[in-house]
Amino acid sequence: MKQFSYRHTKEADLMKNMDEAARMGSAAAMSDEELFSFAEFHAEDVERTGYSNYSYWRSTVRAFTKNRVAVTLLALLACLLLFTLIQPYLPGQYDPNLIINDANGMQYRNVPPGDQFILGTNSIGQDLWARIWAGTRTSLFIGLSVALAEALIGITVGVIWGYVRSVDFILTEVYNIIDNIPNTIVLILISYILKPSVNTLVFAMCLTGWIQMARFIRNQILIIRDRDYNVASRCLGTPTWRIMVKNLLPYLVSVIMLRMALTIPAAIGNEVFITYIGLGLPVDIPSLGNLINEGRALITSPALRYQLVYPTIILSFVTISFYMIGNAFSDAADPKNHM
Protein backbone atom coordinates (compact mmCIF):
# COMPACT_ATOMS: atom_id res chain seq x y z
CA MET A 1 0.00 0.00 0.00
CA LYS A 2 2.81 2.38 0.86
CA GLN A 3 4.60 1.48 -2.39
CA PHE A 4 1.48 2.25 -4.44
CA SER A 5 1.02 5.68 -2.75
CA TYR A 6 4.65 6.59 -3.32
CA ARG A 7 4.44 5.59 -7.01
CA HIS A 8 1.19 7.55 -7.45
CA THR A 9 2.71 10.73 -5.88
CA LYS A 10 5.81 10.47 -8.03
CA GLU A 11 3.73 10.13 -11.21
CA ALA A 12 1.61 13.17 -10.19
CA ASP A 13 4.73 15.33 -9.70
CA LEU A 14 6.09 14.22 -13.06
CA MET A 15 2.86 15.16 -14.82
CA LYS A 16 2.83 18.56 -13.08
CA ASN A 17 6.40 19.32 -14.21
CA MET A 18 5.54 18.34 -17.77
CA ASP A 19 2.55 20.69 -17.77
CA GLU A 20 4.67 23.60 -16.53
CA ALA A 21 7.31 22.93 -19.16
CA ALA A 22 4.65 22.86 -21.85
CA ARG A 23 3.23 26.19 -20.67
CA MET A 24 6.67 27.80 -20.60
CA GLY A 25 7.37 26.53 -24.08
CA SER A 26 4.13 27.91 -25.41
CA ALA A 27 4.74 31.26 -23.66
CA ALA A 28 8.19 31.46 -25.22
CA ALA A 29 6.64 30.88 -28.59
CA MET A 30 4.24 33.80 -28.10
CA SER A 31 5.27 37.18 -29.46
CA ASP A 32 6.01 40.22 -27.34
CA GLU A 33 2.81 41.86 -28.55
CA GLU A 34 0.80 38.97 -27.14
CA LEU A 35 2.66 38.94 -23.81
CA PHE A 36 2.80 42.71 -23.09
CA SER A 37 0.40 45.61 -23.63
CA PHE A 38 0.77 49.33 -22.94
CA ALA A 39 -1.20 50.77 -19.99
CA GLU A 40 -3.69 53.45 -20.91
CA PHE A 41 -3.11 57.00 -19.68
CA HIS A 42 -5.85 58.59 -17.58
CA ALA A 43 -5.45 62.20 -16.44
CA GLU A 44 -7.92 61.59 -13.59
CA ASP A 45 -5.65 58.93 -12.13
CA VAL A 46 -2.69 61.32 -12.23
CA GLU A 47 -4.67 64.00 -10.43
CA ARG A 48 -5.75 61.47 -7.84
CA THR A 49 -2.22 60.25 -7.11
CA GLY A 50 -0.90 63.84 -6.80
CA TYR A 51 -3.67 65.06 -4.50
CA SER A 52 -2.85 66.26 -1.00
CA ASN A 53 -5.31 67.53 1.60
CA TYR A 54 -2.64 69.76 3.18
CA SER A 55 -3.83 73.29 3.94
CA TYR A 56 -1.39 75.90 5.20
CA TRP A 57 -3.91 77.87 7.25
CA ARG A 58 -5.62 74.78 8.63
CA SER A 59 -2.26 73.43 9.74
CA THR A 60 -1.38 76.83 11.23
CA VAL A 61 -4.59 76.94 13.25
CA ARG A 62 -4.08 73.34 14.39
CA ALA A 63 -0.55 74.09 15.58
CA PHE A 64 -1.66 77.32 17.29
CA THR A 65 -4.48 75.65 19.23
CA LYS A 66 -1.97 73.26 20.78
CA ASN A 67 -0.58 76.22 22.76
CA ARG A 68 -3.20 76.45 25.50
CA VAL A 69 -1.71 79.55 27.12
CA ALA A 70 -1.84 81.50 23.87
CA VAL A 71 -5.38 80.30 23.12
CA THR A 72 -6.53 81.33 26.60
CA LEU A 73 -4.94 84.76 26.27
CA LEU A 74 -6.46 85.19 22.81
CA ALA A 75 -9.93 84.40 24.19
CA LEU A 76 -9.49 86.82 27.09
CA LEU A 77 -8.15 89.53 24.77
CA ALA A 78 -11.10 89.04 22.42
CA CYS A 79 -13.50 89.39 25.37
CA LEU A 80 -11.67 92.55 26.43
CA LEU A 81 -11.94 94.06 22.95
CA LEU A 82 -15.61 93.14 22.73
CA PHE A 83 -16.38 94.60 26.14
CA THR A 84 -14.65 97.90 25.32
CA LEU A 85 -17.01 98.25 22.36
CA ILE A 86 -20.25 97.41 24.12
CA GLN A 87 -19.47 99.04 27.50
CA PRO A 88 -20.86 102.52 26.61
CA TYR A 89 -24.20 100.95 25.67
CA LEU A 90 -24.69 99.02 28.92
CA PRO A 91 -27.21 100.39 31.43
CA GLY A 92 -26.02 102.60 34.27
CA GLN A 93 -22.83 103.79 32.54
CA TYR A 94 -21.43 107.30 33.04
CA ASP A 95 -19.85 109.46 30.39
CA PRO A 96 -16.05 109.26 30.83
CA ASN A 97 -15.73 113.06 30.84
CA LEU A 98 -18.74 113.74 33.06
CA ILE A 99 -18.00 115.35 36.45
CA ILE A 100 -20.46 113.71 38.83
CA ASN A 101 -21.98 115.73 41.68
CA ASP A 102 -23.99 114.64 44.69
CA ALA A 103 -27.39 116.01 45.78
CA ASN A 104 -25.70 119.04 47.32
CA GLY A 105 -23.77 119.88 44.17
CA MET A 106 -20.45 118.62 45.59
CA GLN A 107 -18.16 116.59 43.35
CA TYR A 108 -17.58 112.91 44.11
CA ARG A 109 -13.83 113.36 44.45
CA ASN A 110 -11.55 110.35 45.03
CA VAL A 111 -14.40 108.08 46.04
CA PRO A 112 -12.97 104.58 46.64
CA PRO A 113 -14.35 101.58 44.70
CA GLY A 114 -17.82 100.60 45.87
CA ASP A 115 -21.39 99.94 44.83
CA GLN A 116 -22.04 103.27 43.13
CA PHE A 117 -18.64 103.52 41.43
CA ILE A 118 -17.15 100.13 40.64
CA LEU A 119 -13.55 101.41 40.38
CA GLY A 120 -14.05 104.67 42.25
CA THR A 121 -13.64 108.22 40.96
CA ASN A 122 -10.69 110.49 40.25
CA SER A 123 -9.73 113.82 41.77
CA ILE A 124 -12.40 115.80 39.90
CA GLY A 125 -15.31 113.37 40.29
CA GLN A 126 -15.16 111.41 37.04
CA ASP A 127 -16.07 107.69 36.98
CA LEU A 128 -12.83 105.71 36.75
CA TRP A 129 -14.63 102.64 35.37
CA ALA A 130 -15.89 104.57 32.33
CA ARG A 131 -12.56 106.35 31.81
CA ILE A 132 -10.54 103.11 31.91
CA TRP A 133 -12.64 101.43 29.23
CA ALA A 134 -12.71 104.58 27.11
CA GLY A 135 -8.94 104.86 27.50
CA THR A 136 -8.50 101.20 26.54
CA ARG A 137 -10.50 101.80 23.37
CA THR A 138 -8.35 104.80 22.49
CA SER A 139 -5.04 103.06 23.17
CA LEU A 140 -6.00 99.90 21.29
CA PHE A 141 -7.17 101.98 18.33
CA ILE A 142 -3.80 103.76 18.28
CA GLY A 143 -1.90 100.47 18.54
CA LEU A 144 -3.87 98.69 15.83
CA SER A 145 -3.75 101.69 13.49
CA VAL A 146 0.01 102.03 13.85
CA ALA A 147 0.56 98.28 13.37
CA LEU A 148 -1.56 98.16 10.18
CA ALA A 149 0.00 101.31 8.72
CA GLU A 150 3.57 100.19 9.45
CA ALA A 151 2.83 96.72 8.05
CA LEU A 152 1.30 98.08 4.86
CA ILE A 153 4.10 100.55 4.17
CA GLY A 154 6.93 98.43 5.56
CA ILE A 155 6.00 95.22 3.73
CA THR A 156 5.48 96.99 0.40
CA VAL A 157 8.76 98.89 0.59
CA GLY A 158 10.64 95.92 2.05
CA VAL A 159 9.61 93.49 -0.70
CA ILE A 160 10.52 95.99 -3.44
CA TRP A 161 13.75 96.87 -1.65
CA GLY A 162 14.83 93.24 -1.37
CA TYR A 163 13.73 91.95 -4.77
CA VAL A 164 14.32 94.81 -7.20
CA ARG A 165 18.08 95.30 -7.30
CA SER A 166 17.96 98.69 -9.04
CA VAL A 167 16.34 100.44 -6.05
CA ASP A 168 18.56 98.88 -3.40
CA PHE A 169 21.04 101.78 -3.28
CA ILE A 170 18.37 104.50 -3.06
CA LEU A 171 16.33 102.79 -0.34
CA THR A 172 19.47 101.92 1.61
CA GLU A 173 20.41 105.60 1.74
CA VAL A 174 16.86 106.54 2.78
CA TYR A 175 17.08 103.96 5.54
CA ASN A 176 20.42 105.29 6.77
CA ILE A 177 19.05 108.81 6.97
CA ILE A 178 15.81 107.94 8.76
CA ASP A 179 17.37 105.37 11.06
CA ASN A 180 19.89 107.89 12.37
CA ILE A 181 17.08 110.17 13.60
CA PRO A 182 15.99 109.04 17.10
CA ASN A 183 12.36 107.96 17.13
CA THR A 184 11.78 109.76 20.43
CA ILE A 185 12.85 113.08 18.92
CA VAL A 186 10.44 112.61 16.03
CA LEU A 187 7.56 111.82 18.39
CA ILE A 188 8.28 114.88 20.53
CA LEU A 189 8.63 117.25 17.56
CA ILE A 190 5.49 116.08 15.77
CA SER A 191 3.46 116.14 19.00
CA TYR A 192 4.75 119.64 19.74
CA ILE A 193 4.18 121.07 16.25
CA LEU A 194 0.78 119.54 15.43
CA LYS A 195 -2.42 119.73 17.43
CA PRO A 196 -2.55 116.93 20.06
CA SER A 197 -4.94 114.25 18.83
CA VAL A 198 -5.16 110.56 18.06
CA ASN A 199 -4.35 111.18 14.38
CA THR A 200 -1.27 113.17 15.36
CA LEU A 201 0.09 110.33 17.48
CA VAL A 202 -0.59 107.75 14.78
CA PHE A 203 1.11 109.92 12.17
CA ALA A 204 4.13 110.57 14.40
CA MET A 205 4.63 106.87 15.16
CA CYS A 206 4.22 105.78 11.54
CA LEU A 207 6.50 108.49 10.17
CA THR A 208 9.65 106.54 10.99
CA GLY A 209 8.32 103.26 12.43
CA TRP A 210 7.81 101.60 9.03
CA ILE A 211 11.52 101.71 8.20
CA GLN A 212 12.36 98.95 10.69
CA MET A 213 9.70 96.68 9.22
CA ALA A 214 10.94 97.42 5.70
CA ARG A 215 14.54 96.64 6.67
CA PHE A 216 13.50 93.36 8.30
CA ILE A 217 11.44 92.26 5.28
CA ARG A 218 14.24 93.26 2.92
CA ASN A 219 16.72 91.01 4.76
CA GLN A 220 14.31 88.08 4.62
CA ILE A 221 13.68 88.62 0.89
CA LEU A 222 17.42 88.60 0.17
CA ILE A 223 17.64 85.14 1.73
CA ILE A 224 14.96 83.54 -0.47
CA ARG A 225 15.13 85.74 -3.59
CA ASP A 226 17.44 83.47 -5.63
CA ARG A 227 16.10 80.10 -4.58
CA ASP A 228 15.35 77.58 -7.32
CA TYR A 229 11.59 78.12 -7.49
CA ASN A 230 12.03 81.90 -7.82
CA VAL A 231 14.68 81.51 -10.53
CA ALA A 232 12.39 79.08 -12.37
CA SER A 233 9.51 81.57 -12.14
CA ARG A 234 11.66 84.34 -13.64
CA CYS A 235 12.82 82.03 -16.43
CA LEU A 236 9.20 81.20 -17.25
CA GLY A 237 8.41 84.91 -17.56
CA THR A 238 6.28 85.22 -14.44
CA PRO A 239 5.55 88.90 -13.69
CA THR A 240 7.56 90.42 -10.85
CA TRP A 241 4.49 91.38 -8.82
CA ARG A 242 3.18 87.81 -9.00
CA ILE A 243 6.49 86.41 -7.77
CA MET A 244 6.40 88.84 -4.84
CA VAL A 245 2.81 88.00 -3.91
CA LYS A 246 2.80 84.25 -4.57
CA ASN A 247 6.39 83.16 -3.92
CA LEU A 248 7.84 85.58 -1.38
CA LEU A 249 5.14 86.94 0.93
CA PRO A 250 3.63 83.56 1.99
CA TYR A 251 7.06 82.53 3.23
CA LEU A 252 7.13 85.59 5.53
CA VAL A 253 3.69 85.28 7.13
CA SER A 254 5.06 84.09 10.47
CA VAL A 255 7.64 86.86 10.88
CA ILE A 256 5.21 89.55 9.67
CA MET A 257 2.58 88.52 12.21
CA LEU A 258 5.17 88.51 14.97
CA ARG A 259 6.36 92.01 14.08
CA MET A 260 2.78 93.31 13.97
CA ALA A 261 1.94 91.72 17.32
CA LEU A 262 4.96 93.43 18.89
CA THR A 263 4.17 96.78 17.25
CA ILE A 264 0.80 97.12 19.02
CA PRO A 265 2.12 97.16 22.61
CA ALA A 266 5.09 99.26 21.49
CA ALA A 267 2.72 101.89 20.07
CA ILE A 268 0.69 101.90 23.29
CA GLY A 269 3.93 102.31 25.24
CA ASN A 270 4.92 105.27 23.07
CA GLU A 271 1.54 106.87 23.72
CA VAL A 272 2.08 106.45 27.47
CA PHE A 273 5.55 107.98 27.17
CA ILE A 274 4.37 111.00 25.15
CA THR A 275 1.60 111.61 27.66
CA TYR A 276 4.08 111.27 30.51
CA ILE A 277 6.20 114.15 29.17
CA GLY A 278 3.11 116.31 28.67
CA LEU A 279 2.78 116.14 24.86
CA GLY A 280 0.18 113.41 24.57
CA LEU A 281 -3.57 113.46 24.19
CA PRO A 282 -5.63 116.19 25.90
CA VAL A 283 -7.41 115.32 29.13
CA ASP A 284 -10.81 115.17 27.43
CA ILE A 285 -9.63 112.17 25.35
CA PRO A 286 -9.20 109.30 27.83
CA SER A 287 -6.31 106.94 27.17
CA LEU A 288 -4.25 104.54 29.21
CA GLY A 289 -1.40 107.06 29.03
CA ASN A 290 -3.56 109.80 30.51
CA LEU A 291 -4.88 107.54 33.26
CA ILE A 292 -1.43 106.26 34.24
CA ASN A 293 -0.03 109.78 34.20
CA GLU A 294 -2.82 110.98 36.49
CA GLY A 295 -2.42 108.00 38.82
CA ARG A 296 1.36 108.45 38.97
CA ALA A 297 0.92 111.72 40.88
CA LEU A 298 -1.06 109.86 43.56
CA ILE A 299 1.31 106.97 44.11
CA THR A 300 2.47 108.35 47.47
CA SER A 301 -1.08 108.17 48.84
CA PRO A 302 -2.00 104.55 49.71
CA ALA A 303 -5.73 105.29 49.68
CA LEU A 304 -5.58 106.65 46.10
CA ARG A 305 -3.18 104.19 44.48
CA TYR A 306 -6.12 102.38 42.88
CA GLN A 307 -6.19 105.14 40.26
CA LEU A 308 -2.77 103.94 39.08
CA VAL A 309 -3.19 100.21 39.69
CA TYR A 310 -6.28 99.57 37.54
CA PRO A 311 -5.08 101.16 34.26
CA THR A 312 -1.65 99.59 34.81
CA ILE A 313 -3.24 96.13 35.06
CA ILE A 314 -5.10 96.65 31.78
CA LEU A 315 -1.97 97.94 30.05
CA SER A 316 0.14 95.04 31.34
CA PHE A 317 -2.44 92.46 30.27
CA VAL A 318 -2.74 93.88 26.75
CA THR A 319 1.04 94.09 26.33
CA ILE A 320 1.78 90.58 27.60
CA SER A 321 -1.12 89.06 25.65
CA PHE A 322 -0.07 90.50 22.30
CA TYR A 323 3.53 89.44 22.90
CA MET A 324 2.71 85.82 23.78
CA ILE A 325 0.03 85.46 21.10
CA GLY A 326 2.40 86.88 18.48
CA ASN A 327 5.16 84.44 19.42
CA ALA A 328 2.78 81.48 19.46
CA PHE A 329 1.28 82.38 16.08
CA SER A 330 4.73 82.92 14.60
CA ASP A 331 5.76 79.41 15.63
CA ALA A 332 2.47 77.95 14.38
CA ALA A 333 2.76 79.70 11.00
CA ASP A 334 6.20 78.18 10.37
CA PRO A 335 5.69 75.29 7.89
CA LYS A 336 8.47 73.36 9.63
CA ASN A 337 6.11 72.86 12.59
CA HIS A 338 3.31 71.44 10.43
CA MET A 339 2.75 67.72 10.42
Side-chain angles (χ1 to χ4, degrees):
M1 188 69 180
K2 292 182 179 179
Q3 185 177 3
F4 175 77
S5 299
Y6 174 75
R7 185 180 302 113
H8 178 73
T9 303
K10 192 172 183 180
E11 291 177 355
D13 293 340
L14 181 62
M15 292 295 295
K16 183 178 180 180
N17 293 335
M18 292 176 64
D19 291 340
E20 292 180 355
R23 284 197 299 270
M24 292 178 63
S26 61
M30 296 174 66
S31 64
D32 292 343
E33 295 181 356
E34 295 174 339
L35 288 175
F36 302 98
S37 61
F38 290 98
E40 297 182 1
F41 174 78
H42 298 285
E44 297 80 4
D45 296 337
V46 177
E47 294 287 341
R48 191 178 303 110
T49 56
Y51 171 75
S52 174
N53 63 349
Y54 171 79
S55 172
Y56 173 79
W57 290 110
R58 184 169 61 247
S59 300
T60 299
V61 173
R62 186 185 302 115
F64 178 79
T65 53
K66 293 180 180 179
N67 191 326
R68 296 184 179 181
V69 176
V71 172
T72 303
L73 289 175
L74 179 61
L76 293 176
L77 188 60
C79 293
L80 176 70
L81 294 174
L82 179 62
F83 187 78
T84 57
L85 296 177
I86 66 175
Q87 181 270 331
Y89 306 101
L90 297 177
Q93 302 298 311
Y94 293 101
D95 185 275
N97 292 320
L98 176 65
I99 298 176
I100 307 170
N101 300 323
D102 58 14
N104 299 323
M106 301 296 294
Q107 297 175 354
Y108 283 105
R109 295 183 178 181
N110 297 325
V111 177
D115 295 335
Q116 183 177 2
F117 303 104
I118 300 176
L119 299 181
T121 62
N122 59 11
S123 58
I124 61 174
Q126 295 172 324
D127 183 25
L128 196 59
W129 166 270
R131 289 187 64 80
I132 284 179
W133 293 117
T136 304
R137 282 194 302 272
T138 302
S139 296
L140 286 175
F141 175 78
I142 292 174
L144 291 173
S145 300
V146 171
L148 292 176
E150 288 188 4
L152 180 62
I153 301 173
I155 292 172
T156 303
V157 175
V159 172
I160 297 174
W161 187 4
Y163 190 78
V164 182
R165 299 171 187 259
S166 59
V167 301
D168 182 72
F169 175 77
I170 298 174
L171 291 178
T172 300
E173 293 301 320
V174 172
Y175 169 81
N176 292 332
I177 294 173
I178 297 178
D179 188 58
N180 285 320
I181 303 175
N183 188 41
T184 304
I185 301 298
V186 175
L187 288 174
I188 294 174
L189 289 177
I190 297 299
S191 300
Y192 182 76
I193 295 172
L194 300 181
K195 180 182 178 181
S197 65
V198 173
N199 294 332
T200 298
L201 286 181
V202 173
F203 173 74
M205 294 179 194
C206 296
L207 191 61
T208 59
W210 63 270
I211 197 68
Q212 297 298 332
M213 173 73 81
R215 176 74 175 186
F216 182 79
I217 296 299
R218 179 250 187 189
N219 293 339
Q220 299 298 317
I221 293 296
L222 288 177
I223 297 174
I224 64 176
R225 179 180 62 187
D226 294 326
R227 290 187 176 178
D228 293 341
Y229 57 89
N230 289 323
V231 175
S233 296
R234 289 197 294 269
C235 293
L236 292 173
T238 305
T240 301
W241 68 268
R242 185 173 179 83
I243 295 176
M244 293 179 182
V245 174
K246 297 293 184 180
N247 292 11
L248 301 178
L249 284 181
Y251 183 83
L252 304 176
V253 169
S254 61
V255 293
I256 290 173
M257 295 304 298
L258 176 60
R259 297 283 298 190
M260 289 185 64
L262 297 180
T263 300
I264 295 173
I268 297 175
N270 287 333
E271 184 266 325
V272 173
F273 167 74
I274 290 298
T275 304
Y276 176 79
I277 63 176
L279 297 175
L281 298 174
V283 182
D284 60 337
I285 302 179
S287 69
L288 292 179
N290 273 334
L291 295 172
I292 291 176
N293 190 43
E294 293 173 3
R296 177 183 58 85
L298 305 173
I299 193 173
T300 56
S301 177
L304 302 179
R305 286 177 184 170
Y306 65 89
Q307 299 185 31
L308 174 64
V309 172
Y310 294 139
T312 303
I313 291 175
I314 297 295
L315 176 62
S316 300
F317 172 75
V318 171
T319 303
I320 295 173
S321 297
F322 273 112
Y323 175 77
M324 297 191 67
I325 293 171
N327 277 288
F329 187 83
S330 177
D331 294 337
D334 189 349
K336 297 178 183 178
N337 297 328
H338 296 176
M339 298 300 294

